[in-house]
Short mmCIF file of all heavy atoms in Angstrom, two decimals:
data_model
loop_
_atom_site.label_atom_id
_atom_site.label_comp_id
_atom_site.label_asym_id
_atom_site.label_seq_id
_atom_site.Cartn_x
_atom_site.Cartn_y
_atom_site.Cartn_z
N MET A 1 0.84 -1.20 0.00
CA MET A 1 0.00 0.01 0.00
C MET A 1 0.88 1.26 0.00
O MET A 1 1.88 1.34 0.67
CB MET A 1 -0.90 -0.03 1.25
CG MET A 1 -2.07 0.90 1.11
SD MET A 1 -3.26 0.67 2.43
CE MET A 1 -4.27 2.13 2.12
N CYS A 2 0.49 2.12 -0.79
CA CYS A 2 1.28 3.33 -0.91
C CYS A 2 0.70 4.41 0.01
O CYS A 2 -0.41 4.89 -0.20
CB CYS A 2 1.22 3.83 -2.36
SG CYS A 2 2.58 4.88 -2.81
N SER A 3 1.45 4.71 1.01
CA SER A 3 0.93 5.72 1.94
C SER A 3 1.67 7.04 1.79
O SER A 3 2.85 7.13 2.03
CB SER A 3 1.03 5.20 3.37
OG SER A 3 2.35 5.21 3.81
N VAL A 4 0.93 7.96 1.31
CA VAL A 4 1.51 9.30 1.20
C VAL A 4 0.82 10.19 2.22
O VAL A 4 -0.25 10.71 2.00
CB VAL A 4 1.30 9.87 -0.22
CG1 VAL A 4 1.98 11.23 -0.33
CG2 VAL A 4 1.85 8.92 -1.27
N GLY A 5 1.43 10.29 3.34
CA GLY A 5 0.83 11.11 4.38
C GLY A 5 1.88 11.98 5.05
O GLY A 5 3.06 11.87 4.78
N GLY A 6 1.41 12.80 5.88
CA GLY A 6 2.34 13.63 6.64
C GLY A 6 2.89 14.81 5.86
O GLY A 6 3.76 15.51 6.34
N THR A 7 2.37 14.98 4.67
CA THR A 7 2.83 16.17 3.95
C THR A 7 1.90 17.33 4.28
O THR A 7 1.11 17.77 3.48
CB THR A 7 2.86 15.93 2.43
OG1 THR A 7 1.64 15.30 2.06
CG2 THR A 7 4.02 15.06 2.05
N ASP A 8 2.04 17.74 5.48
CA ASP A 8 1.13 18.75 5.99
C ASP A 8 1.85 20.09 6.07
O ASP A 8 2.15 20.58 7.13
CB ASP A 8 0.64 18.31 7.37
CG ASP A 8 -0.65 18.99 7.74
OD1 ASP A 8 -0.78 20.19 7.45
OD2 ASP A 8 -1.52 18.34 8.32
N PHE A 9 2.18 20.59 4.95
CA PHE A 9 2.86 21.88 5.04
C PHE A 9 1.90 23.03 4.80
O PHE A 9 1.68 23.50 3.71
CB PHE A 9 4.13 21.96 4.19
CG PHE A 9 4.01 21.54 2.76
CD1 PHE A 9 3.96 22.50 1.75
CD2 PHE A 9 3.99 20.19 2.41
CE1 PHE A 9 3.91 22.11 0.43
CE2 PHE A 9 3.91 19.80 1.09
CZ PHE A 9 3.86 20.76 0.09
N GLU A 10 1.35 23.41 5.89
CA GLU A 10 0.43 24.53 5.84
C GLU A 10 1.06 25.71 6.56
O GLU A 10 0.81 25.95 7.73
CB GLU A 10 -0.87 24.12 6.53
CG GLU A 10 -2.08 24.77 5.90
CD GLU A 10 -3.38 24.26 6.51
OE1 GLU A 10 -3.78 23.13 6.18
OE2 GLU A 10 -3.93 24.99 7.32
N PHE A 11 1.94 26.34 5.88
CA PHE A 11 2.62 27.46 6.51
C PHE A 11 1.83 28.73 6.29
O PHE A 11 1.08 28.86 5.31
CB PHE A 11 4.06 27.61 5.99
CG PHE A 11 4.15 27.62 4.47
CD1 PHE A 11 4.10 28.82 3.78
CD2 PHE A 11 4.30 26.42 3.78
CE1 PHE A 11 4.19 28.81 2.40
CE2 PHE A 11 4.39 26.42 2.39
CZ PHE A 11 4.32 27.61 1.69
N GLU A 12 1.98 29.60 7.20
CA GLU A 12 1.26 30.86 7.07
C GLU A 12 1.84 31.70 5.95
O GLU A 12 3.02 31.97 5.92
CB GLU A 12 1.31 31.62 8.40
CG GLU A 12 0.38 31.02 9.43
CD GLU A 12 0.52 31.71 10.76
OE1 GLU A 12 0.64 32.94 10.77
OE2 GLU A 12 0.51 31.01 11.76
N ARG A 13 1.00 32.05 5.11
CA ARG A 13 1.45 32.82 3.97
C ARG A 13 1.01 34.27 4.13
O ARG A 13 -0.10 34.64 3.80
CB ARG A 13 0.87 32.23 2.69
CG ARG A 13 1.48 32.86 1.46
CD ARG A 13 1.00 32.12 0.23
NE ARG A 13 1.55 32.73 -0.97
CZ ARG A 13 1.71 32.09 -2.11
NH1 ARG A 13 1.39 30.82 -2.19
NH2 ARG A 13 2.17 32.68 -3.15
N GLU A 14 1.91 35.04 4.62
CA GLU A 14 1.58 36.44 4.79
C GLU A 14 2.00 37.21 3.56
O GLU A 14 2.98 36.89 2.92
CB GLU A 14 2.29 36.99 6.03
CG GLU A 14 1.73 36.44 7.32
CD GLU A 14 2.48 36.96 8.52
OE1 GLU A 14 2.83 38.15 8.51
OE2 GLU A 14 2.74 36.17 9.42
N GLU A 15 1.25 38.19 3.31
CA GLU A 15 1.59 39.03 2.17
C GLU A 15 2.70 39.98 2.57
O GLU A 15 2.49 40.93 3.30
CB GLU A 15 0.35 39.82 1.74
CG GLU A 15 -0.79 38.96 1.29
CD GLU A 15 -0.65 38.51 -0.17
OE1 GLU A 15 -0.25 39.35 -0.99
OE2 GLU A 15 -0.93 37.35 -0.46
N ILE A 16 3.83 39.66 2.10
CA ILE A 16 4.97 40.52 2.41
C ILE A 16 5.23 41.44 1.25
O ILE A 16 5.56 41.00 0.15
CB ILE A 16 6.22 39.68 2.72
CG1 ILE A 16 5.93 38.73 3.88
CG2 ILE A 16 7.40 40.59 3.03
CD1 ILE A 16 7.05 37.75 4.14
N GLU A 17 5.06 42.68 1.53
CA GLU A 17 5.26 43.64 0.46
C GLU A 17 6.62 44.31 0.60
O GLU A 17 6.84 45.09 1.51
CB GLU A 17 4.16 44.70 0.49
CG GLU A 17 2.84 44.13 0.02
CD GLU A 17 1.79 45.21 -0.15
OE1 GLU A 17 2.16 46.35 -0.51
OE2 GLU A 17 0.62 44.92 0.09
N VAL A 18 7.46 43.95 -0.29
CA VAL A 18 8.77 44.57 -0.30
C VAL A 18 8.75 45.73 -1.26
O VAL A 18 8.30 45.61 -2.39
CB VAL A 18 9.85 43.55 -0.72
CG1 VAL A 18 11.22 44.20 -0.74
CG2 VAL A 18 9.84 42.36 0.21
N GLU A 19 9.20 46.83 -0.78
CA GLU A 19 9.18 48.00 -1.63
C GLU A 19 10.57 48.57 -1.80
O GLU A 19 11.46 48.33 -1.00
CB GLU A 19 8.24 49.06 -1.03
CG GLU A 19 6.82 48.57 -1.03
CD GLU A 19 5.85 49.69 -0.78
OE1 GLU A 19 5.54 50.41 -1.72
OE2 GLU A 19 5.41 49.83 0.36
N ARG A 20 10.68 49.32 -2.82
CA ARG A 20 11.97 49.89 -3.17
C ARG A 20 12.09 51.27 -2.53
O ARG A 20 11.20 52.09 -2.66
CB ARG A 20 12.02 50.03 -4.70
CG ARG A 20 13.41 50.22 -5.21
CD ARG A 20 14.07 48.87 -5.44
NE ARG A 20 15.38 49.07 -6.01
CZ ARG A 20 16.46 48.42 -5.61
NH1 ARG A 20 16.37 47.52 -4.69
NH2 ARG A 20 17.62 48.64 -6.16
N TYR A 21 13.18 51.43 -1.84
CA TYR A 21 13.40 52.72 -1.21
C TYR A 21 14.72 53.32 -1.63
O TYR A 21 15.60 52.63 -2.09
CB TYR A 21 13.39 52.56 0.32
CG TYR A 21 12.04 52.33 0.91
CD1 TYR A 21 11.51 51.05 1.02
CD2 TYR A 21 11.28 53.41 1.39
CE1 TYR A 21 10.26 50.84 1.57
CE2 TYR A 21 10.02 53.20 1.94
CZ TYR A 21 9.52 51.90 2.03
OH TYR A 21 8.30 51.68 2.57
N LYS A 22 14.77 54.61 -1.41
CA LYS A 22 16.03 55.28 -1.67
C LYS A 22 16.31 56.21 -0.50
O LYS A 22 15.42 56.92 -0.03
CB LYS A 22 15.95 56.08 -2.96
CG LYS A 22 17.28 56.72 -3.31
CD LYS A 22 17.13 57.65 -4.52
CE LYS A 22 18.46 58.33 -4.79
NZ LYS A 22 18.36 59.43 -5.76
N CYS A 23 17.53 56.16 -0.07
CA CYS A 23 17.94 57.01 1.03
C CYS A 23 18.24 58.40 0.53
O CYS A 23 18.97 58.57 -0.44
CB CYS A 23 19.16 56.39 1.71
SG CYS A 23 19.80 57.41 3.03
N SER A 24 17.65 59.36 1.20
CA SER A 24 17.88 60.74 0.77
C SER A 24 19.22 61.27 1.29
O SER A 24 19.69 62.31 0.83
CB SER A 24 16.76 61.63 1.30
OG SER A 24 15.53 61.27 0.71
N ASP A 25 19.78 60.59 2.21
CA ASP A 25 21.03 61.07 2.78
C ASP A 25 22.25 60.58 2.00
O ASP A 25 23.12 61.34 1.64
CB ASP A 25 21.15 60.63 4.23
CG ASP A 25 20.27 61.51 5.12
OD1 ASP A 25 19.74 62.51 4.62
OD2 ASP A 25 20.15 61.20 6.31
N CYS A 26 22.28 59.29 1.74
CA CYS A 26 23.46 58.75 1.08
C CYS A 26 23.17 58.24 -0.34
O CYS A 26 24.07 57.85 -1.06
CB CYS A 26 24.08 57.62 1.92
SG CYS A 26 23.11 56.11 1.97
N GLY A 27 21.90 58.26 -0.71
CA GLY A 27 21.55 57.86 -2.08
C GLY A 27 21.50 56.36 -2.28
O GLY A 27 21.38 55.88 -3.40
N ASN A 28 21.58 55.62 -1.21
CA ASN A 28 21.54 54.16 -1.31
C ASN A 28 20.14 53.68 -1.68
O ASN A 28 19.15 54.16 -1.16
CB ASN A 28 21.97 53.57 0.04
CG ASN A 28 22.00 52.06 0.01
OD1 ASN A 28 22.36 51.47 -0.99
ND2 ASN A 28 21.62 51.45 1.11
N LYS A 29 20.10 52.73 -2.60
CA LYS A 29 18.82 52.15 -2.97
C LYS A 29 18.73 50.76 -2.37
O LYS A 29 19.68 49.98 -2.47
CB LYS A 29 18.68 52.09 -4.48
CG LYS A 29 18.51 53.45 -5.11
CD LYS A 29 18.45 53.34 -6.62
CE LYS A 29 18.34 54.73 -7.26
NZ LYS A 29 18.46 54.64 -8.73
N PHE A 30 17.59 50.45 -1.81
CA PHE A 30 17.46 49.16 -1.16
C PHE A 30 16.00 48.74 -1.11
O PHE A 30 15.09 49.55 -1.31
CB PHE A 30 18.04 49.23 0.26
CG PHE A 30 17.41 50.30 1.12
CD1 PHE A 30 16.39 49.96 2.01
CD2 PHE A 30 17.82 51.61 1.03
CE1 PHE A 30 15.81 50.94 2.79
CE2 PHE A 30 17.23 52.59 1.82
CZ PHE A 30 16.23 52.26 2.70
N ASP A 31 15.80 47.48 -0.83
CA ASP A 31 14.45 46.94 -0.66
C ASP A 31 14.16 46.84 0.83
O ASP A 31 15.00 46.39 1.60
CB ASP A 31 14.34 45.56 -1.30
CG ASP A 31 14.51 45.63 -2.80
OD1 ASP A 31 14.00 46.59 -3.41
OD2 ASP A 31 15.12 44.72 -3.37
N ALA A 32 12.98 47.25 1.17
CA ALA A 32 12.63 47.19 2.58
C ALA A 32 11.14 46.98 2.72
O ALA A 32 10.38 47.14 1.78
CB ALA A 32 13.06 48.45 3.30
N MET A 33 10.76 46.58 3.91
CA MET A 33 9.34 46.44 4.19
C MET A 33 9.06 46.83 5.61
O MET A 33 9.97 46.97 6.43
CB MET A 33 8.91 45.01 3.92
CG MET A 33 9.66 44.00 4.74
SD MET A 33 9.31 42.34 4.16
CE MET A 33 10.66 41.47 4.93
N GLY A 34 7.81 47.04 5.89
CA GLY A 34 7.47 47.45 7.24
C GLY A 34 7.17 48.94 7.28
O GLY A 34 7.20 49.63 6.27
N GLU A 35 6.90 49.39 8.48
CA GLU A 35 6.54 50.78 8.59
C GLU A 35 7.73 51.66 8.90
O GLU A 35 7.83 52.78 8.44
CB GLU A 35 5.49 50.92 9.70
CG GLU A 35 4.28 50.07 9.40
CD GLU A 35 3.04 50.60 10.08
OE1 GLU A 35 3.12 51.58 10.82
OE2 GLU A 35 1.98 50.00 9.88
N LYS A 36 8.61 51.13 9.68
CA LYS A 36 9.78 51.93 10.00
C LYS A 36 10.95 51.44 9.15
O LYS A 36 11.51 50.38 9.39
CB LYS A 36 10.11 51.80 11.49
CG LYS A 36 11.11 52.82 11.93
CD LYS A 36 11.56 52.54 13.36
CE LYS A 36 12.63 53.54 13.76
NZ LYS A 36 13.24 53.18 15.04
N VAL A 37 11.24 52.21 8.17
CA VAL A 37 12.31 51.83 7.24
C VAL A 37 13.51 52.72 7.47
O VAL A 37 13.41 53.94 7.50
CB VAL A 37 11.83 51.95 5.79
CG1 VAL A 37 12.96 51.62 4.83
CG2 VAL A 37 10.65 51.03 5.54
N VAL A 38 14.63 52.10 7.66
CA VAL A 38 15.85 52.87 7.80
C VAL A 38 16.85 52.38 6.75
O VAL A 38 16.82 51.23 6.30
CB VAL A 38 16.48 52.73 9.19
CG1 VAL A 38 15.60 53.36 10.25
CG2 VAL A 38 16.75 51.28 9.53
N CYS A 39 17.69 53.26 6.36
CA CYS A 39 18.70 52.93 5.38
C CYS A 39 19.70 51.93 5.98
O CYS A 39 20.24 52.17 7.05
CB CYS A 39 19.44 54.21 4.96
SG CYS A 39 20.84 53.91 3.89
N PRO A 40 19.92 50.83 5.29
CA PRO A 40 20.84 49.82 5.83
C PRO A 40 22.29 50.29 5.76
O PRO A 40 23.16 49.71 6.41
CB PRO A 40 20.62 48.61 4.92
CG PRO A 40 20.08 49.17 3.66
CD PRO A 40 19.29 50.40 4.05
N SER A 41 22.50 51.30 5.00
CA SER A 41 23.87 51.77 4.83
C SER A 41 24.26 52.79 5.90
O SER A 41 25.30 52.68 6.52
CB SER A 41 24.02 52.36 3.44
OG SER A 41 25.33 52.81 3.22
N CYS A 42 23.41 53.78 6.08
CA CYS A 42 23.78 54.85 7.02
C CYS A 42 22.81 54.98 8.18
O CYS A 42 22.94 55.87 8.99
CB CYS A 42 23.88 56.18 6.26
SG CYS A 42 22.31 56.79 5.65
N ARG A 43 21.83 54.09 8.22
CA ARG A 43 20.87 54.06 9.32
C ARG A 43 19.97 55.29 9.38
O ARG A 43 19.37 55.59 10.39
CB ARG A 43 21.59 53.92 10.68
CG ARG A 43 22.44 52.68 10.75
CD ARG A 43 21.62 51.54 11.27
NE ARG A 43 22.41 50.34 11.38
CZ ARG A 43 22.28 49.46 12.37
NH1 ARG A 43 21.41 49.68 13.33
NH2 ARG A 43 22.97 48.38 12.39
N SER A 44 19.89 55.98 8.30
CA SER A 44 19.06 57.16 8.27
C SER A 44 17.60 56.79 8.07
O SER A 44 17.28 55.81 7.41
CB SER A 44 19.52 58.08 7.13
OG SER A 44 18.59 59.14 6.97
N GLU A 45 16.74 57.55 8.67
CA GLU A 45 15.30 57.32 8.46
C GLU A 45 14.78 58.23 7.35
O GLU A 45 13.61 58.25 7.04
CB GLU A 45 14.54 57.60 9.75
CG GLU A 45 14.85 56.56 10.81
CD GLU A 45 14.05 56.81 12.07
OE1 GLU A 45 12.90 57.27 11.98
OE2 GLU A 45 14.59 56.55 13.17
N ASN A 46 15.65 58.95 6.78
CA ASN A 46 15.29 59.88 5.72
C ASN A 46 15.27 59.16 4.38
O ASN A 46 16.11 59.36 3.51
CB ASN A 46 16.30 61.02 5.71
CG ASN A 46 15.83 62.18 4.84
OD1 ASN A 46 14.67 62.24 4.46
ND2 ASN A 46 16.73 63.06 4.51
N VAL A 47 14.29 58.26 4.25
CA VAL A 47 14.21 57.48 3.03
C VAL A 47 12.88 57.73 2.32
O VAL A 47 11.89 58.08 2.94
CB VAL A 47 14.33 55.96 3.33
CG1 VAL A 47 15.70 55.64 3.90
CG2 VAL A 47 13.24 55.50 4.28
N VAL A 48 12.90 57.58 1.03
CA VAL A 48 11.69 57.78 0.24
C VAL A 48 11.45 56.55 -0.63
O VAL A 48 12.39 55.85 -1.01
CB VAL A 48 11.79 59.04 -0.65
CG1 VAL A 48 11.76 60.29 0.20
CG2 VAL A 48 13.02 58.99 -1.52
N LYS A 49 10.21 56.32 -0.96
CA LYS A 49 9.89 55.21 -1.85
C LYS A 49 10.33 55.55 -3.28
O LYS A 49 10.01 56.63 -3.79
CB LYS A 49 8.39 54.92 -1.82
CG LYS A 49 7.98 54.19 -0.57
CD LYS A 49 6.52 53.85 -0.61
CE LYS A 49 6.08 53.22 0.70
NZ LYS A 49 4.63 52.93 0.72
N ALA A 50 11.01 54.64 -3.86
CA ALA A 50 11.52 54.89 -5.20
C ALA A 50 10.56 54.36 -6.24
O ALA A 50 9.74 53.52 -5.95
CB ALA A 50 12.89 54.25 -5.36
ZN1 ZN B 1 21.58 56.12 3.67
#
């Protein structure tokens, strides 16, 4: 008998929206998500959506 069981991968699929940002201070472009986005390069919060 062929038993195919236990393949219970029901992971939570959250909608993760990654957006493109640009740092106004150092000009670094990066992908980020969430509400508080800081530049990974200079840690500035002065970022805008690109
Ligand atoms: Zn920066």
Side-chain angles (χ1 to χ4, degrees):
M1 198 171 170
C2 203
S3 74
V4 183
T7 47
D8 201 320
F9 50 104
E10 213 174 284
F11 50 91
E12 284 176 40
R13 189 173 178 156
E14 290 178 40
E15 297 278 319
I16 302 173
E17 288 188 33
V18 180
E19 295 195 81
R20 197 87 176 136
Y21 286 88
K22 184 187 177 191
C23 177
S24 295
D25 283 352
C26 71
N28 181 37
K29 289 178 183 172
F30 57 97
D31 294 322
M33 58 190 163
E35 302 204 358
K36 192 188 177 189
V37 177
V38 293
C39 173
S41 181
C42 68
R43 301 271 181 142
S44 172
E45 291 182 35
N46 192 14
V47 296
V48 290
K49 284 183 185 178

